């Protein structure tokens, strides 16, 4: 019984000394600013402005427009019209993409 009592007492003292002597640690919390929904489409348009052809990413245009419409309906309308112009046969994609980027600033 004495041994059991000594072990319990010793364990309690060790636990107390660890918790009593430990200092609270500073923790860094990173808070990200909300992303601009136009960032993704601006990257795509920048590629077009540099001469990249329109490829399969065009299937994502409705999603971009929908996301932007939630926060800025006016820019969503501009984007929708601009992307329709870009996809027309014979469109001067590079020039239209540059102009659309200017409108979306």
């Amino acid at each position: 019984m004495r041994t059991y009592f000594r072990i319990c007492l010793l364990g309690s003292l060790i636990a107390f000394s660890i918790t009593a002597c430990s200092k609270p640690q500073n923790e860094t919390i990173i808070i990200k600013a909300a992303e601009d929904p136009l960032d993704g489409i601006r990257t795509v348009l920048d590629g077009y402005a540099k001469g990249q052809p329109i490829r399969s990413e065009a299937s994502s245009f409705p999603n971009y427009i929908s996301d932007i419409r939630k926060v800025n309906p006016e820019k969503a309308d501009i984007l929708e019209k601009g992307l329709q112009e870009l996809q027309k046969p014979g469109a001067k994609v590079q020039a239209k993409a540059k102009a659309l980027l200017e409108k979306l600033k």
Side-chain angles (χ1 to χ4, degrees):
M1 188 75 161
R2 282 184 162 188
T3 306
Y4 176 74
F5 178 72
R6 286 181 185 170
I7 292 173
C8 288
L9 181 62
L10 182 61
S12 297
L13 288 173
I14 291 172
F16 177 75
S17 65
I18 290 173
T19 57
C21 294
S22 65
K23 296 179 182 177
Q25 296 183 358
N26 291 334
E27 186 175 331
T28 303
I29 299 173
I30 299 171
I31 300 173
K32 290 186 178 182
E35 288 186 29
D36 183 0
L38 286 166
D39 285 346
I41 195 65
R42 281 186 184 127
T43 302
V44 172
L45 290 171
D46 187 53
Y48 298 157
K50 291 178 180 175
Q52 179 183 3
I54 297 175
R55 296 195 175 124
S56 61
E57 71 278 354
S59 64
S60 299
F61 289 168
N63 294 335
Y64 284 118
I65 294 166
S66 174
D67 290 345
I68 294 165
R69 192 168 307 283
K70 293 174 188 173
V71 291
N72 193 330
E74 297 83 24
K75 287 200 178 185
D77 291 339
I78 294 168
L79 179 63
E80 186 171 27
K81 290 174 187 172
L83 292 175
Q84 288 172 356
E85 290 292 318
L86 282 176
Q87 296 179 74
K88 287 183 178 178
K92 295 182 181 181
V93 175
Q94 208 169 357
K96 289 188 184 272
K98 286 179 185 177
L100 186 54
L101 276 170
E102 285 299 316
K103 290 179 185 178
L104 294 175
K105 283 187 177 182

